[in-house]
Amino acid sequence: ITDFLHLGTDSAQEQPIFSTRAHVFQIDPNTKKNWVPTSKHAVTVSYFYDSTRNVYRIISLDGSKAIINSTITPNMTFTKTSQKFGQWADSRANTVYGLGFSSEHHLSKFAEKFQEFKEAARLAKEKSQEKMELTSTPSQESAGGDLQSPLTPESINGTDDERTPDVTQNSEPRPEPTQNALPFSHSSAISKHWEAELATLKGNNAKLTAALLESTANVKQWKQQLAAYQEEAERLHKRVTELECVSSQANAVHSHKTELNQTIQELEETLKVKEEEIERLKQEIDNARELQEQRDSLTQKLQEVEIRNKDLEGQLSDLEQRLEKSQNEQEAFRNNLKTLLEILDGKIFELTELRDNLAKLLERS
């Protein structure tokens, strides 16, 4: 509210330092996705500097109505979304502003000024904080622990480090598979890998589907805007023809005709920008179809891996049965060998006694 009051009362202290012409848009407050034009034609957009408050503002008027009144802060960022369109978010006004320029040069110039005045605003803020620290009394310093810091977007939303949750990894060691279970474990690992790939592709497919629906809705809206621009252009052409027929107001007609021709040229440039955007959306749709084909191919491979996994499970079960049977046979063989050894020990003992008896008989004889 104070910014709007200053817009009308501080004109003597606040002077424009850079001006250009552009079409003004604002983000739809309901959907937060679509652009809503706030000016029917290109208007003057200016940077203002308030020497009293040491702040920079972007102001644009459509007649007597202020359609842009944005104070530049160090946290703002101006983003170029195309060759002739740029945008920035204003947290104070709770909106996003967009500007459509007639050429890439005008857009680059505006972006350079935005960065320049943003840096100046940052330096001004730092100087103001230094002055406040220097003028603070010792009593204020001693009570500084009880004072609360001013609310800033960082203190409200938190810094990037504070907002990033800690992610812990499961460090439990993975048991090594036995020799008999190696084929099955390897196949299971492959199956899990493909399942993870499939889950990732499903997530990407859902995102692409949502983006595709959003792009389709945007294309429809842009087509409606294109139709509206074409109707406006036709109306302006008719108006030019009517004005040319009025010879009594030749000078006024000529100036009005020049303005209308400029508006028509700006509308045609806007149409070109929308057509380029439509081509980009078509390319995104083609990319989404290619990703869908890749997803189908990976699904088929996963099915083949699952079939192979079942075959390996059957082979493993057969090997386990054969191993169990072999172990039983070995156990029976050990028991028979043990019995044979016992019998052999008995025979050896008997032979030893017989030898001793024969030796005694030989001695006696």
Side-chain angles (χ1 to χ4, degrees):
I1 296 174
T2 56
D3 287 342
F4 283 104
L5 293 175
H6 282 292
L7 181 64
T9 59
D10 291 348
S11 58
Q13 300 171 350
E14 195 170 15
Q15 299 297 330
I17 51 180
F18 177 79
S19 298
T20 186
R21 291 182 64 82
H23 290 271
V24 180
F25 299 86
Q26 281 191 21
I27 202 71
D28 190 340
N30 297 323
T31 63
K32 298 295 184 181
K33 295 180 180 179
N34 302 324
W35 289 108
V36 178
T38 56
S39 62
K40 296 181 180 179
H41 51 80
V43 295
T44 301
V45 182
S46 303
Y47 285 100
F48 280 77
Y49 175 64
D50 187 347
S51 58
T52 303
R53 295 189 297 158
N54 199 19
V55 296
Y56 295 85
R57 290 198 293 169
I58 302 174
I59 296 176
S60 178
L61 298 177
D62 187 5
S64 59
K65 179 183 177 183
I67 56 179
I68 298 179
N69 185 22
S70 177
T71 301
I72 300 176
T73 64
N75 299 327
M76 287 185 176
T77 301
F78 186 81
T79 304
K80 298 179 182 179
T81 57
S82 66
Q83 294 182 351
K84 299 179 182 180
F85 193 87
Q87 66 183 48
W88 77 95
D90 190 339
S91 59
R92 294 184 178 182
N94 193 24
T95 188
V96 179
Y97 293 105
L99 297 179
F101 296 88
S102 59
S103 67
E104 185 176 0
H105 171 72
H106 290 138
L107 172 60
S108 300
K109 191 66 176 178
F110 188 89
E112 291 174 1
K113 292 296 181 180
F114 191 98
Q115 186 64 27
E116 176 185 344
F117 299 144
K118 171 186 171 181
E119 183 67 16
R122 184 185 66 80
L123 295 174
K125 182 179 179 180
E126 291 178 354
K127 290 181 180 179
S128 176
Q129 290 177 349
E130 291 177 358
K131 290 181 180 179
M132 291 177 63
E133 292 175 357
L134 292 174
T135 56
S136 61
T137 61
S139 61
Q140 289 175 334
E141 292 177 356
S142 62
D146 299 330
L147 295 177
Q148 296 181 351
S149 60
L151 293 177
T152 62
E154 290 81 8
S155 63
I156 296 173
N157 300 327
T159 61
D160 293 339
D161 294 336
E162 293 173 349
R163 291 195 297 266
T164 304
D166 294 333
V167 180
T168 59
Q169 298 290 339
N170 186 5
S171 59
E172 183 179 356
R174 181 179 179 181
E176 293 294 330
T178 62
Q179 185 176 0
N180 293 331
L182 184 58
F184 174 73
S185 300
H186 180 65
S187 176
S188 177
I190 295 175
S191 177
K192 290 180 179 179
H193 170 72
W194 287 114
E195 286 176 357
E197 290 289 336
L198 180 60
T200 302
L201 286 172
K202 285 182 178 179
N204 293 336
N205 184 49
K207 293 179 181 178
L208 289 171
T209 303
L212 183 60
L213 294 175
E214 180 182 351
S215 300
T216 304
N218 290 337
V219 168
K220 291 181 179 178
Q221 182 180 2
W222 288 334
K223 286 182 178 179
Q224 293 176 356
Q225 291 180 356
L226 290 176
Y229 289 149
Q230 290 175 352
E231 292 178 359
E232 182 69 13
E234 292 177 359
R235 188 185 66 80
L236 291 174
H237 278 299
K238 292 180 180 179
R239 181 61 177 168
V240 169
T241 304
E242 293 175 357
L243 291 174
E244 288 177 348
C245 295
V246 182
S247 58
S248 60
Q249 300 178 353
N251 295 330
V253 168
H254 180 72
S255 61
H256 199 184
K257 177 183 176 181
T258 303
E259 182 179 355
L260 290 175
N261 288 333
Q262 182 180 358
T263 304
I264 292 172
Q265 184 179 0
E266 293 173 353
L267 288 173
E268 290 175 350
E269 292 174 354
T270 305
L271 288 175
K272 290 181 181 179
V273 172
K274 296 297 182 182
E275 289 175 355
E276 292 175 357
E277 190 70 17
I278 291 173
E279 290 296 329
R280 185 183 65 80
L281 291 174
K282 288 181 179 178
Q283 292 179 358
E284 291 182 357
I285 292 172
D286 294 337
N287 294 335
R289 291 175 180 172
E290 292 179 0
L291 289 175
Q292 180 68 24
E293 293 176 357
Q294 293 179 3
R295 173 182 171 276
D296 296 338
S297 175
L298 289 174
T299 302
Q300 184 178 0
K301 290 181 180 179
L302 178 61
Q303 292 176 354
E304 294 175 356
V305 169
E306 289 177 349
I307 294 172
R308 185 181 177 186
N309 188 21
K310 290 181 181 178
D311 294 339
L312 290 174
E313 287 178 354
Q315 294 178 9
L316 178 61
S317 177
D318 185 31
L319 288 173
E320 289 176 349
Q321 292 177 359
R322 291 169 61 184
L323 178 62
E324 184 179 359
K325 182 178 179 181
S326 176
Q327 289 175 350
N328 293 333
E329 291 176 353
Q330 289 180 2
E331 185 67 24
F333 179 74
R334 288 194 189 97
N335 294 333
N336 293 333
L337 184 60
K338 185 177 180 182
T339 304
L340 182 61
L341 289 174
E342 291 175 353
I343 295 172
L344 184 60
D345 290 339
K347 296 296 182 181
I348 291 172
F349 181 74
E350 292 175 357
L351 289 173
T352 303
E353 288 182 348
L354 179 61
R355 177 181 173 280
D356 294 338
N357 292 333
L358 289 175
K360 289 178 181 181
L361 289 174
L362 288 174
E363 289 176 358
R364 290 174 184 178
S365 63

